[in-house]
Amino acid sequence: MAEDPSSCIPYRYERTTTAALLHDQFSDLAAEEETEVRHSVAGRAMLVRSQGKIAFVTLVDSSGQVQLFARAATTAKFKEFTRLSLGDWIGANGKVVKTKRGELSILVEDWVMLAEARLPFGDKWRGITDVEIRYRQREVDLWANARSREILQSRSTIISETRRMLEEEGFVEVETPMLHPIAGGALARPFVTHHNALDMDLYLRIAPELYLKRLVVGGFEKVFEIGRVFRNEGISPRHNPEFTILELYQAYADYEDLMVSMESLVSTLARKLLGTTRIIYQGKEVDLEPPWRRATLEELVEESTGCAFTVDTPVTVMTEFLRDLGTVPESGWGSGKLLMEIYEKACEAHLWGPVIVKDFPVEVSPLARRHRDNQALVERFEVVIAGRELANAFSELVDPDDQRSRFEMQALRHANGDEEAMTVDEDYIHALEHGLPPTAGLGMGMDRLVMLLTDQPSIRDVIAFPTLRPQSRATE
């Protein structure tokens, strides 16, 4: 029987410390000083230098790097040690020392191969700049580019701190279904799958909103969920077909309450991660210190275009304006949809912010409550920072009759070919008939928040494995 090539690889390795801990504990050692302290470390060999009867390896683990110092006279398997390939995983143990040049090191007594890097892991990977290679072979990128690891570590911190802050405010974390019988909760094109046992189509969720509000009906006064949602749409620097969203709902609150909560959440995260609310994003300062500017959508459109467009502006006037912007409006668009398109085409990208854009048309907000002072609008706001939407929130629609009417309007649009429009969700209407108290809800793209706080231009930089077009191995 042929020998298993992995038979010499141990099933586990007992390391006693990390690179970072070694530097913390032995930073005061003098050059050429040797201790009697022995430690075992493990990681990748990212630099190998052989100088006759001595050799050096830069060992990198998830916390940092430390030097391995080997001597022919005292290191087991010295020749094999000098022939290590870049990227090999090894474990090594020995005394903690500092070399003549003051480099903290492990004076290797013995070592073991933990995994062989069979694919090239050398200079061509160092400092990868080809973004396609970086995204397609993220496992290599993470070793070649320390910044890539830092970004994903920051992402973990942002999400965990968000969760902790909400729990301190009395919010309860819940989980809602990923597979929905009806695509709802947002205006987006869904992914469709099929359940064989039930012989029915299901939709990957585009938002958890409707289920979360049913929990509020059930007595949960503060709920949130952080999880994946899926939208069958295009890919861009700010869009990925699957992304992470925070959605929260608070009973007895309105959208004004969530404006304050949003300011506090983002500014606090910035302080915890960066130590300041004055951050630099793509070379330009953003001051996240509350309070943020509040302005209505109609006010901002007028500032950007010089035209006082409102939901009462004739459809023909806004249609002509959009055509001048290079957009051909669809025949079914009403004044609210046209106004929203003008805002998105002529205004949003120019808002550096942070700015809270509030009071949207009813036509584009099927789940929001009508504005208490203007029934043609809803109490909805979006947070825009650095020219892109970060969060969307509103005072929730609590009237089941109004909700049915809005769903029916959406269903008509869906029947006429609008794949992003909703349909009638009878289960949700039934839940509203049990009574939803005054409630405010918010959805925030966590990926975009990470982009902002880590100064990244593309959503693909903050997702470990972004969606990519398939590529044949033969062409890579």
Side-chain angles (χ1 to χ4, degrees):
M1 179 181 294
E3 183 180 356
D4 181 356
S6 66
S7 60
C8 59
I9 301 296
Y11 281 82
R12 68 185 302 274
Y13 184 79
E14 186 73 34
R15 68 174 181 175
T16 61
T17 191
T18 66
L21 287 175
L22 282 172
H23 285 284
D24 287 344
Q25 295 170 6
F26 297 97
S27 59
D28 294 335
L29 282 184
E32 295 190 88
E33 184 176 352
E34 294 189 11
T35 75
E36 292 302 316
V37 179
R38 285 178 167 78
H39 272 300
S40 298
V41 293
R44 278 194 190 271
M46 295 302 287
L47 181 64
V48 180
R49 293 177 293 128
S50 179
Q51 300 174 8
K53 295 187 177 182
I54 60 173
F56 303 93
V57 166
T58 299
L59 186 83
V60 179
D61 65 18
S62 62
S63 72
Q65 65 182 46
V66 66
Q67 180 170 269
L68 302 182
F69 175 23
R71 292 172 174 157
T74 57
T75 300
K77 301 179 291 183
F78 177 78
K79 286 185 178 180
E80 290 89 340
F81 187 86
T82 65
R83 295 170 186 161
L84 286 169
S85 297
L86 298 189
D88 284 345
W89 292 85
I90 63 171
N93 69 77
K95 294 179 181 179
V96 179
V97 303
K98 265 197 178 177
T99 64
K100 289 182 180 180
R101 296 186 177 182
E103 187 74 29
L104 185 67
S105 306
I106 295 291
L107 184 59
V108 179
E109 295 176 5
D110 59 73
W111 64 279
V112 62
M113 179 76 78
L114 300 178
E116 180 185 357
R118 296 187 179 185
L119 295 176
F121 210 108
D123 291 341
K124 78 172 187 176
W125 295 119
R126 192 165 303 167
I128 297 173
T129 56
D130 186 315
V131 293
E132 283 298 311
I133 292 178
R134 288 184 54 216
Y135 300 143
R136 291 185 186 280
Q137 301 184 26
R138 184 70 92 180
E139 64 278 8
V140 178
D141 171 48
L142 292 172
W143 286 103
N145 297 312
R147 181 60 179 152
S148 295
R149 294 198 305 276
E150 291 171 4
I151 290 168
L152 294 185
Q153 289 166 348
S154 294
R155 177 191 178 100
S156 176
T157 299
I158 290 167
I159 291 175
S160 63
E161 284 294 327
T162 298
R163 179 175 281 111
R164 186 188 61 79
M165 290 165 61
L166 290 173
E167 289 173 343
E168 287 181 352
E169 291 295 322
F171 281 86
V172 176
E173 184 173 12
V174 297
E175 293 179 326
T176 60
M178 291 277 194
L179 295 174
H180 291 186
I182 294 175
L187 300 177
R189 183 179 179 182
F191 286 95
V192 185
T193 188
H194 188 79
H195 191 289
N196 291 333
L198 297 177
D199 191 22
M200 63 180 292
D201 285 342
L202 294 169
Y203 303 89
L204 293 181
R205 71 177 179 188
I206 55 179
E209 176 168 345
L210 302 185
Y211 284 97
L212 289 171
K213 285 189 284 191
R214 288 170 66 178
L215 291 174
V216 178
V217 172
F220 284 85
E221 296 178 1
K222 289 184 174 182
V223 294
F224 79 96
E225 183 170 9
I226 298 175
R228 284 299 227 219
V229 292
F230 308 86
R231 299 184 182 180
N232 197 354
E233 299 169 346
I235 295 175
S236 77
R238 57 180 180 172
H239 295 98
N240 194 67
E242 57 175 313
F243 60 96
T244 301
I245 197 169
L246 160 68
E247 285 213 11
L248 63 84
Y249 293 86
Q250 180 175 346
Y252 318 123
D254 67 8
Y255 77 146
E256 294 281 354
D257 294 304
L258 290 190
M259 293 179 194
V260 177
S261 297
M262 186 68 190
E263 291 171 328
S264 175
L265 176 62
V266 175
S267 61
T268 301
L269 285 170
R271 287 192 202 95
K272 288 182 178 293
L273 190 72
L274 305 171
T276 179
T277 58
R278 288 182 174 270
I279 69 171
I280 301 298
Y281 184 73
Q282 298 301 289
K284 188 174 178 180
E285 184 178 89
V286 182
D287 189 355
L288 300 175
E289 185 66 28
W292 298 345
R293 182 191 178 193
R294 289 154 168 74
T296 68
L297 182 142
E298 292 176 352
E299 289 170 346
L300 292 168
V301 166
E302 183 173 2
E303 288 179 12
S304 296
T305 66
C307 300
F309 292 124
T310 73
V311 289
D312 297 321
T313 301
V315 168
T316 54
V317 174
M318 288 194 283
T319 297
E320 188 62 31
F321 188 87
L322 274 173
R323 287 199 176 107
D324 290 341
L325 293 177
T327 297
V328 180
E330 296 179 15
S331 59
W333 288 2
S335 61
K337 174 64 173 175
L338 291 166
L339 180 61
M340 185 69 177
E341 286 291 316
I342 292 173
Y343 162 75
E344 291 182 344
K345 295 295 187 298
C347 182
E348 184 180 56
H350 304 294
L351 298 175
W352 194 252
V355 59
I356 292 174
V357 185
K358 63 178 188 172
D359 303 344
F360 285 65
V362 172
E363 184 180 353
V364 295
S365 311
L367 296 168
R369 191 168 185 176
R370 292 181 189 270
H371 199 286
R372 65 196 77 183
D373 298 324
N374 185 343
Q375 294 292 290
L377 302 176
V378 295
E379 294 193 352
R380 169 185 170 186
F381 74 84
E382 289 184 358
V383 173
V384 178
I385 304 178
R388 63 171 62 100
E389 175 198 342
L390 178 64
N392 184 31
F394 28 86
S395 300
E396 299 295 335
L397 179 54
V398 298
D399 182 344
D401 297 327
D402 193 359
Q403 185 63 81
R404 179 178 292 279
S405 176
R406 307 262 199 104
F407 276 157
E408 288 173 350
M409 290 177 62
Q410 287 288 309
L412 181 60
R413 291 189 181 125
H414 191 273
N416 289 331
D418 185 349
E419 293 182 316
E420 294 187 355
M422 300 180 191
T423 55
V424 179
D425 189 331
E426 293 289 353
D427 287 340
Y428 179 65
I429 294 173
H430 186 70
L432 288 183
E433 289 173 339
H434 285 291
L436 175 66
T439 299
L442 177 145
M444 177 168 64
M446 297 303 292
D447 310 277
R448 292 187 184 181
L449 179 61
V450 177
M451 288 170 62
L452 177 70
L453 296 180
T454 60
D455 190 20
Q456 296 304 302
S458 172
I459 195 171
R460 296 199 292 181
D461 293 319
V462 302
I463 296 175
F465 297 99
T467 303
L468 300 170
R469 187 184 300 278
Q471 183 175 359
S472 169
R473 281 284 179 192
T475 63
E476 290 183 358

